[in-house]
Amino acid sequence: MQKRIAELLKKNQLSITESRKKILELFQSANGALAHADIEKQSGEHFDRVTIYRTLQTFVEKGIIHTIPTADNSVLYALCKDECSAGHHHDNHVHFICDDCGTTYCLDHVDIPAIQLPIGFKAKQTDIVMSGVCKECNV
Amino acid sequence: MQKRIAELLKKNQLSITESRKKILELFQSANGALAHADIEKQSGEHFDRVTIYRTLQTFVEKGIIHTIPTADNSVLYALCKDECSAGHHHDNHVHFICDDCGTTYCLDHVDIPAIQLPIGFKAKQTDIVMSGVCKECNV
DNA sequence: TTTGTTTTGCAACTAGGTTGCAAATGCCTA
DNA sequence: TAGGCATTTGCAACCTAGTTGCAAAACAAA
Ligand SMILES: [Mn+2]
Ligand SMILES: [Mn+2]
Ligand SMILES: [Zn+2]
Ligand SMILES: [Zn+2]
């Protein structure tokens, strides 16, 4: 696990530092998306908040994580699939937020349906965020 | 036009004030969604920004306007259809942001398709935001 | 017009995020 | 494996968007 993390950083030409290792570890062991505040808490407040901001930015740029838009306009982050790289994200999947437990899921296997737009409109990207009750909280 | 605005306010049990009239007017003559900053500028900086925040909140609560989530986590507002009321929004339509001119459209006549979720997930709401080129900017 | 209620503007505050810079850490090569 | 260069970190200061308390102004009802 530790090895995989180091390799992932190397592959992206990032030096291996405590904060980067720890933050990646948090993402890999989380079962949903994480907010900046989650990381701050879960890392035991070892790192400056600025460091966390910069680490997240770097990871997004490198295609290691992607951001998830939410209805309440907070920012969430989740691991990208292997196909993503610097400047080329391929995170075309549906996101699901559980109203009950608050967990945000990347539903990688749910396809984005084609949507017929009015004449003249040409879509390049489709973001779908659903909410309701997740499989853990269901009954 | 002025009369319609006054009636809309009355129908929602809101007193008729300069700021509310002006802000409603801006929404009715806009062809897309508006951000707080747009309203601040377009109103000629006549109103305090706090007043604008509070007016927007009130309008959202009454079902006169609705918020639109965006990828860059800024907040946009647009007029609701007549069916919306306090505590009961029915704005289940697709939103479209033009990469070219920046206009955000409510596509009222585009239906949200059914999306098959993994077992155990139960959806209550679906938000779809598409982006690309709008009918004005197309060619 | 008077009176009571609602709304406004101002100032002060909060939360989330960014920037500049010196000190600390990590990487590379001898 | 130590030394030197480049990158990253932590701190302080700053910025922007949004919120709150309160007195003054505007509005609605009588
Ligand atoms: Mn995702
Ligand atoms: Mn809309
Ligand atoms: Zn849940
Ligand atoms: Zn356009």
Side-chain angles (χ1 to χ4, degrees):
Chain A
M1 182 61 110
Q2 283 291 50
K3 200 140 207 174
R4 271 233 316 283
I5 287 176
E7 271 162 25
L8 181 54
L9 288 172
K10 250 183 208 153
K11 201 182 76 181
N12 285 285
Q13 301 152 82
L14 293 173
S15 46
I16 297 163
T17 68
E18 285 309 305
S19 50
R20 287 175 181 167
K21 278 192 289 182
K22 182 64 184 172
I23 292 176
L24 261 188
E25 208 179 300
L26 287 177
F27 275 111
Q28 299 203 337
S29 60
N31 74 324
L34 297 175
H36 178 275
D38 297 326
I39 295 166
E40 205 167 343
K41 274 172 221 144
Q42 290 182 35
S43 64
E45 280 149 43
H46 278 308
F47 308 109
D48 194 86
R49 54 194 206 97
V50 178
T51 301
I52 297 174
Y53 280 119
R54 290 199 268 226
T55 303
L56 291 171
Q57 271 177 206
T58 304
F59 285 179
V60 169
E61 279 161 20
K62 291 292 186 175
I64 298 173
I65 59 177
H66 62 276
T67 59
I68 304 173
T70 62
D72 70 332
N73 275 72
S74 64
V75 190
L76 293 177
Y77 302 87
L79 281 180
C80 289
K81 299 300 134 190
D82 294 335
E83 313 92 57
C84 291
S85 63
H88 281 281
H89 281 270
H90 303 278
D91 300 288
N92 257 48
H93 51 258
V94 172
H95 290 110
F96 186 95
I97 304 175
C98 179
D99 295 328
D100 223 64
C101 65
T103 307
T104 296
Y105 298 83
C106 293
L107 300 180
D108 298 298
H109 300 298
V110 176
D111 287 321
I112 302 239
I115 293 171
Q116 181 74 31
L117 293 178
I119 297 171
F121 287 86
K122 199 139 208 172
K124 287 210 181 86
Q125 230 217 314
T126 305
D127 279 302
I128 302 189
V129 179
M130 303 179 79
S131 57
V133 184
C134 81
K135 64 173 191 292
E136 304 296 333
C137 300
N138 198 358
V139 186
Chain B
M1 179 62 109
Q2 283 291 50
K3 200 141 208 173
R4 269 232 320 282
I5 286 175
E7 271 162 26
L8 181 54
L9 289 172
K10 250 184 206 153
K11 200 181 74 181
N12 287 283
Q13 300 152 82
L14 293 172
S15 46
I16 296 163
T17 68
E18 285 308 305
S19 50
R20 287 174 180 166
K21 278 192 290 183
K22 181 66 186 172
I23 292 175
L24 261 188
E25 209 179 299
L26 288 178
F27 275 109
Q28 299 203 339
S29 60
N31 74 323
L34 298 175
H36 178 276
D38 298 326
I39 294 165
E40 205 167 342
K41 273 171 222 143
Q42 290 182 35
S43 64
E45 279 147 45
H46 278 310
F47 309 109
D48 194 87
R49 52 195 208 94
V50 178
T51 301
I52 297 174
Y53 280 118
R54 290 198 268 228
T55 304
L56 291 171
Q57 273 177 206
T58 304
F59 285 178
V60 170
E61 279 160 21
K62 291 292 186 178
I64 298 173
I65 61 178
H66 62 278
T67 58
I68 303 173
T70 62
D72 70 330
N73 275 71
S74 64
V75 189
L76 293 176
Y77 302 86
L79 280 181
C80 289
K81 299 299 133 189
D82 294 335
E83 313 94 55
C84 291
S85 63
H88 282 281
H89 280 270
H90 303 278
D91 299 288
N92 258 47
H93 51 258
V94 172
H95 290 110
F96 186 96
I97 303 175
C98 179
D99 296 327
D100 223 64
C101 65
T103 307
T104 295
Y105 297 83
C106 293
L107 300 180
D108 298 298
H109 300 298
V110 176
D111 287 321
I112 302 242
I115 293 171
Q116 182 74 29
L117 293 178
I119 298 173
F121 286 86
K122 199 140 206 172
K124 288 212 181 85
Q125 229 217 316
T126 304
D127 279 302
I128 301 189
V129 179
M130 303 180 80
S131 57
V133 183
C134 82
K135 64 174 192 291
E136 304 296 332
C137 299
N138 198 357
V139 188

